Amino acid sequence: MYANLDFNIGQVNPSGIGQTVYRIRKRYITSWPTIVDDLESATSEVNLSKYTGDFVLATGKKWQKMYSTQGKGSITSETTGETDCKMFINHGNFSFPDLSPEALGFSKASVNDDFVYIAKSAGRYHVIGSPDYRSNTSVAPTSGDAAGSAKGITFTVDCPDVTPLPLYEGAIVTDEGSLDCSTGVLTPPVTQSN
């Protein structure tokens, strides 16, 4: 099952996250995609790191987009727990550059709720959220302190998971249409003609 972890020196290898992060309240998800957690049944290491299938949402619910200033956001993971019980804490840091009413409203709503986030890094989409564990979103709004200084809201998300930064290649349904995370192609919604 285990493969060589090869890397081609000189290949393109971008860092950071994209400027669009997707978010949804976990209670709007009616069915999660699956991921292999049993090491003995996995046919490859890829099966252990990647969700299969799509998130199924409650009727009328969609993922929402959240802008994050490039160069200010990141996703990370760290090991936590004791021997034979180890897992991961997945983290997301997202930077919204304004104190808009919508951003402040989301700040108020998110700190006591359970959101699932999807962020793109190096062409791959990673999930921060879990069907089994609650995510914790913290916010830090600031006006900035000098002309041209950074302002806005930093959203910090932490969520326990058995997989570090799991990959997602299914669909993200938004107001703009359906984004295929395996190809990055957005298909606009079908409009009804009269």
Side-chain angles (χ1 to χ4, degrees), residues 153-165:
I153 304 171
T154 299
F155 295 92
T156 302
V157 184
D158 300 299
C159 189
D161 202 329
V162 296
T163 305
L165 301 175

Side-chain angles (χ1 to χ4, degrees), residues 21-25 62-67 102 106 115-118:
V21 175
Y22 299 91
R23 68 177 197 241
I24 195 165
R25 282 185 164 95
K62 296 177 182 176
W63 291 84
Q64 295 175 306
K65 291 170 47 175
M66 182 170 72
Y67 176 85
E102 295 83 1
F106 176 63
F115 276 80
V116 176
Y117 299 84
I118 296 179

Side-chain angles (χ1 to χ4, degrees), residues 42-53:
T43 56
S44 74
E45 290 166 323
V46 172
N47 300 125
L48 298 172
S49 65
K50 188 184 299 184
Y51 278 111
T52 301

Side-chain angles (χ1 to χ4, degrees), residues 40-179:
E40 298 304 318
S41 67
T43 56
S44 74
E45 290 166 323
V46 172
N47 300 125
L48 298 172
S49 65
K50 188 184 299 184
Y51 278 111
T52 301
D54 295 318
F55 284 100
V56 178
L57 308 181
T59 302
K61 302 303 181 185
K62 296 177 182 176
W63 291 84
Q64 295 175 306
K65 291 170 47 175
M66 182 170 72
Y67 176 85
S68 182
T69 301
Q70 278 205 302
K72 295 283 188 179
S74 65
I75 54 175
T76 62
S77 187
E78 63 187 37
T79 306
T80 188
E82 299 183 18
T83 301
D84 295 330
C85 300
K86 289 186 179 179
M87 47 190 300
F88 302 91
I89 303 292
N90 291 328
H91 306 280
N93 289 299
F94 313 124
S95 179
F96 186 77
D98 194 9
L99 298 177
S100 68
E102 295 83 1
L104 291 170
F106 176 63
S107 297
K108 183 177 181 178
S110 66
V111 294
N112 288 309
D113 209 332
D114 185 2
F115 276 80
V116 176
Y117 299 84
I118 296 179
K120 182 179 180 183
S121 177
R124 302 178 192 107
Y125 291 84
H126 298 266
V127 177
I128 300 177
S130 167
D132 300 316
Y133 298 96
R134 184 172 172 174
S135 70
N136 179 32
T137 302
S138 299
V139 299
T142 180
S143 65
D145 56 10
S149 65
K151 75 169 197 177
I153 304 171
T154 299
F155 295 92
T156 302
V157 184
D158 300 299
C159 189
D161 202 329
V162 296
T163 305
L165 301 175
L167 297 163
Y168 179 64
E169 294 183 345
I172 297 175
V173 179
T174 70
D175 288 333
E176 296 178 344
S178 179
L179 174 67

